[in-house]
Amino acid sequence: MQEIVVSNETVLNKAVLVKLNEQVNQLDTVIVGKILTGDLLSDIKNTKGDRPLNFFDVGIPGYTGRIATINERQLSEASGFNPGLGSSGYGLGASVGFTPIINAISGRTKMLKRRVKIEQKDGLMHSIKSRLGKDFFASNPLDEDKQMDFFYFCSDDANFIKYCKNQNDFKVLVFLRMKYKQYLENIKP
């Protein structure tokens, strides 16, 4: 601790020179909050807290199915058929608004169906790549810059969905191996 006497000279100079002495305190260990081990299962068990509220907790109905993608929602809107709408006791008791008719005539519905199909193929391709890509290329060497091109080549096959969707990994690998041979033939100089 240092004491400084303020004199008239100090006030006139409007400055005080203070020399600081360095003092270092070193602590062995500092623990802030919970100790995390890196093992997720044990770390979750050691934490306290309530799970977030959901619609079941408050007694309101909610949707628990798969959430539709933007393209799937747009397709649903574009081709909307609403049974019971506009029923007046005549005919079928269902009606179709002008928007679905215009979308069908203009080709928008067809375009949205193509988008949904492409989105599904792309999702399946990325799923296969992340699940099986590393192991596949370990036994079937291909330059890293050509690997993504290979997966696009596979997804362009007319039978891609048939051989890869809802199939076990072995069947998918058989398909990839067949496409690998074709791909190598295609890229030969």
Side-chain angles (χ1 to χ4, degrees):
M1 189 162 134
Q2 215 174 16
E3 286 186 25
I4 298 175
V5 179
V6 179
S7 64
N8 282 341
E9 189 179 312
T10 310
V11 173
L12 291 174
N13 288 336
K14 296 182 183 179
V16 176
L17 180 62
V18 179
K19 286 191 174 188
L20 299 176
N21 297 324
E22 186 177 321
Q23 182 179 355
V24 177
N25 290 330
Q26 186 172 354
L27 302 173
D28 294 334
T29 306
V30 175
I31 298 174
V32 179
K34 297 277 182 189
I35 299 174
L36 299 177
T37 63
D39 178 14
L40 291 178
L41 294 176
S42 72
D43 289 346
I44 288 172
K45 289 177 186 173
N46 292 332
T47 58
K48 292 181 182 174
D50 297 330
R51 65 177 176 78
L53 286 175
N54 63 29
F55 49 83
F56 292 123
D57 296 332
V58 292
I60 57 175
Y63 182 71
T64 57
R66 186 182 76 80
I67 300 197
T69 65
I70 291 172
N71 288 326
E72 290 170 336
R73 288 193 304 266
Q74 287 177 341
L75 176 60
S76 176
E77 284 177 18
S79 60
F81 173 75
N82 299 316
L85 236 179
S87 66
S88 57
Y90 303 106
L92 297 174
S95 70
V96 177
F98 287 117
T99 306
I101 295 169
I102 291 170
N103 287 333
I105 293 170
S106 69
R108 183 167 190 267
T109 304
K110 190 175 182 179
M111 178 213 40
L112 289 170
K113 284 180 181 179
R114 271 196 316 269
R115 273 193 201 168
V116 168
K117 188 175 180 181
I118 289 169
E119 189 176 58
Q120 288 172 345
K121 272 174 110 175
D122 200 46
L124 179 60
M125 178 197 56
H126 284 288
S127 167
I128 290 169
K129 179 185 177 282
S130 65
R131 225 176 51 238
L132 305 172
K134 189 176 181 181
D135 293 333
F136 179 78
F137 290 122
S139 59
N140 302 285
L142 192 60
D143 292 339
E144 195 171 327
D145 62 325
K146 295 187 188 277
Q147 290 178 4
M148 198 64 211
D149 185 50
F150 167 72
F151 281 109
Y152 280 114
F153 176 76
C154 292
S155 70
D156 282 341
D157 189 288
N159 294 315
F160 176 69
I161 299 286
K162 176 183 172 186
Y163 288 121
C164 296
K165 188 174 183 180
N166 300 326
Q167 299 295 329
N168 63 35
D169 288 350
F170 180 74
K171 288 183 180 180
V172 174
L173 285 169
V174 168
F175 174 76
L176 291 178
R177 181 70 180 145
M178 176 193 70
K179 294 306 289 180
Y180 177 74
K181 290 175 184 175
Q182 291 175 3
Y183 184 77
L184 291 179
E185 287 295 317
N186 283 356
I187 62 170
K188 269 187 184 176

